[in-house]
Amino acid sequence: MVRSRIIFDTDPGVDDTLAMLLALASSADEIELVMISVTYGNVTLRRCLKNVVAMFHVLDKEMAWRMANGKPLKYESLRTYKPTVVIGAEHPLEEETLREDGFHGVDGLHGVHEAFPDLDPGSTWESLFDESTPASTAAVAEYSPYFTPSKVPAHKAILQLLRDEPADTITICAVGPMTNLALAAGEDPETLLRAKEICVMGGAVEVPGNITPLAEFNTFADALATARVFSLTSMVPSSTMPTVPQTLAKLDAYPEQLSRKLNLSLFPLDITNPHLLMKSFFFSSITEHVEHGNPLALWINHIIGAIYRRMERFIPADREAGLPLHDPLTVWYNLTKDNPAWKLAPNAPEDIRVETSGQWTHGMHILDRRGRRRAPGADVSGDAAAVDELPGDDMGWLSARRGNRINRFVESPGHDKFAPELMQRLFG
């Protein structure tokens, strides 16, 4: 297996945090977390950033606790690599109003910072990311043994990393609003195309949404950003490029000719919803570690326990609460992508487009369900014989060249297998 080198673009958030922990708990030859780019989403940007810093603070306490108690250190990737943490967009491309869903509380982690003040990172970290506050190189380097803070804007840091590394060696896991990636694409689309793969947790294709009847939260939060990134999967990006307001003129059309198409894999609610961390299994797995005073277990037990209590307000009394492992699924894919049980939609790559202007359909993922065949030569990059137009197909849904080409995953190695592996990797 080739080690996955990952940029994790995130808005933590509970399942985002579980996803990062899964990556950091992997072996050094499985995953290298190269960069964590933070955005707004579940809560404001600063609160999302604090949650990342707090996670590393808790892991520092965890490693010390394991050493003091003669426990295996585990978390080999955490101890081998040191990702850069960068901060990105504070709001969507088009508007300054955040579309927070509020499900995970005002801090995004169900009040864990107040519940465990001894595991809270305090406020000294803030100056390390604040451009207006000087911080010495030594202070930056010494703040944490497990991550390096940076003041470079996230989209610029992403582009620089992709330029510095050989093409097709960096995977991006995008598990929040896609504003950071859209900003990177707007500045330098050719460099973003150097990514090996972009694994997107977002959308609802054949199932209901989770923030509106039709839309999933990440896409809904910045539908324009998602649509702009998706358009890079097309041989003719302008064919699905959404109209942008004059205020965003700098993010207007991509060049007519690009060197390649973006390799984008989609993990929508259709596949993530069934991968559940059930309440009874979670508590049976973690209680012993909590009783022993394991810092990470105490922290996670509070966060996940609060989710179950909140879920139980809305589900029938005879139904067990289960946390969908949306974002961790992108990491599990990178750990197990050689497993043939991962399967794409039968007609992949699919022309999936994002609604950016509908009053009731904002953020909807749209497929052509008419059952009509595409023109000859579809999906053959650079094929001069590909048919670009068919009569009556003004929007290019049947064109061989126009339209997006999204690899949507519909099956995994087993929705009942993931939660046990997650808990085993995190806690042993």
Side-chain angles (χ1 to χ4, degrees), residues 120-350:
D120 185 89
S123 60
T124 57
W125 56 271
E126 294 182 4
S127 64
L128 303 177
F129 296 94
D130 188 349
E131 291 184 351
S132 65
T133 304
S136 69
T137 302
V140 170
E142 295 173 2
Y143 177 78
S144 171
Y146 298 122
F147 76 92
T148 300
S150 171
K151 298 181 181 183
V152 178
H155 71 282
K156 293 183 179 295
I158 290 169
L159 290 172
Q160 191 59 57
L161 180 61
L162 291 172
R163 292 186 193 107
D164 292 344
E165 299 296 329
D168 299 315
T169 59
I170 300 293
T171 295
I172 302 175
C173 287
V175 300
M178 293 184 69
T179 316
N180 286 341
L181 297 191
L183 289 170
E187 183 168 311
D188 187 350
E190 281 287 356
T191 293
L192 189 66
L193 296 180
R194 292 171 61 86
K196 179 179 181 180
E197 183 176 13
I198 296 186
C199 301
V200 176
M201 189 281 118
V205 180
E206 296 174 337
V207 300
N210 62 0
I211 192 70
T212 75
L214 296 171
E216 173 274 334
F217 173 75
N218 289 340
T219 305
F220 182 78
D222 197 343
L224 177 61
T226 305
R228 288 184 61 86
V229 175
F230 276 24
S231 71
L232 288 174
T233 69
S234 175
M235 293 171 63
V236 185
S238 60
S239 65
T240 64
M241 175 71 76
T243 302
V244 299
Q246 188 61 37
T247 54
L248 293 175
K250 65 179 181 179
L251 292 177
D252 211 342
Y254 299 135
E256 280 300 316
Q257 295 294 323
L258 291 169
S259 63
R260 59 195 288 188
K261 295 185 295 183
L262 185 67
N263 179 23
L264 191 147
S265 297
L266 185 65
F267 299 81
L269 296 181
D270 310 51
I271 188 173
T272 63
N273 274 338
H275 292 78
L276 296 171
L277 179 58
M278 303 306 295
K279 176 182 176 181
S280 58
F281 174 74
F282 171 76
F283 284 123
S284 68
S285 302
I286 203 170
T287 298
E288 178 182 356
H289 304 288
V290 171
E291 291 174 346
H292 289 162
N294 175 316
L296 181 61
L298 289 166
W299 202 64
I300 292 297
N301 184 67
H302 172 90
I303 295 168
I304 306 297
I307 290 181
Y308 292 140
R309 290 190 295 274
R310 179 152 191 166
M311 284 182 169
E312 286 169 344
R313 301 178 196 170
F314 307 105
I315 62 176
D318 60 348
R319 178 179 162 191
E320 183 180 4
L323 171 67
L325 296 169
H326 303 299
D327 299 341
L329 201 67
T330 64
V331 178
W332 195 39
Y333 164 71
N334 278 278
L335 286 167
T336 62
K337 61 168 45 178
D338 293 334
N339 190 323
W342 286 105
K343 296 188 184 302
L344 296 170
N347 295 321
E350 298 172 305

Side-chain angles (χ1 to χ4, degrees), residues 12-21 42 47 50-52 54-56 58-59 103-105 107-116 119-120 277 279 282-283 286 290 295-311 313 321-323 325 426-427:
V14 175
D15 55 322
D16 310 65
T17 301
L18 290 176
M20 288 186 286
L21 288 171
N42 284 299
R47 286 170 175 163
K50 178 176 180 176
N51 291 343
V52 172
M55 177 192 70
F56 282 108
V58 172
L59 285 169
F103 183 81
H104 297 301
D107 67 350
L109 295 177
H110 294 273
V112 74
H113 305 307
E114 292 184 2
F116 291 93
L119 297 178
D120 185 89
L277 179 58
K279 176 182 176 181
F282 171 76
F283 284 123
I286 203 170
V290 171
L296 181 61
L298 289 166
W299 202 64
I300 292 297
N301 184 67
H302 172 90
I303 295 168
I304 306 297
I307 290 181
Y308 292 140
R309 290 190 295 274
R310 179 152 191 166
M311 284 182 169
R313 301 178 196 170
L323 171 67
L325 296 169
L426 297 193
F427 298 104

Side-chain angles (χ1 to χ4, degrees), residues 52-68:
V52 172
V53 174
M55 177 192 70
F56 282 108
H57 184 70
V58 172
L59 285 169
D60 196 2
K61 300 273 189 180
E62 174 77 5
M63 293 302 108
W65 181 88
R66 287 176 180 265
M67 291 184 65

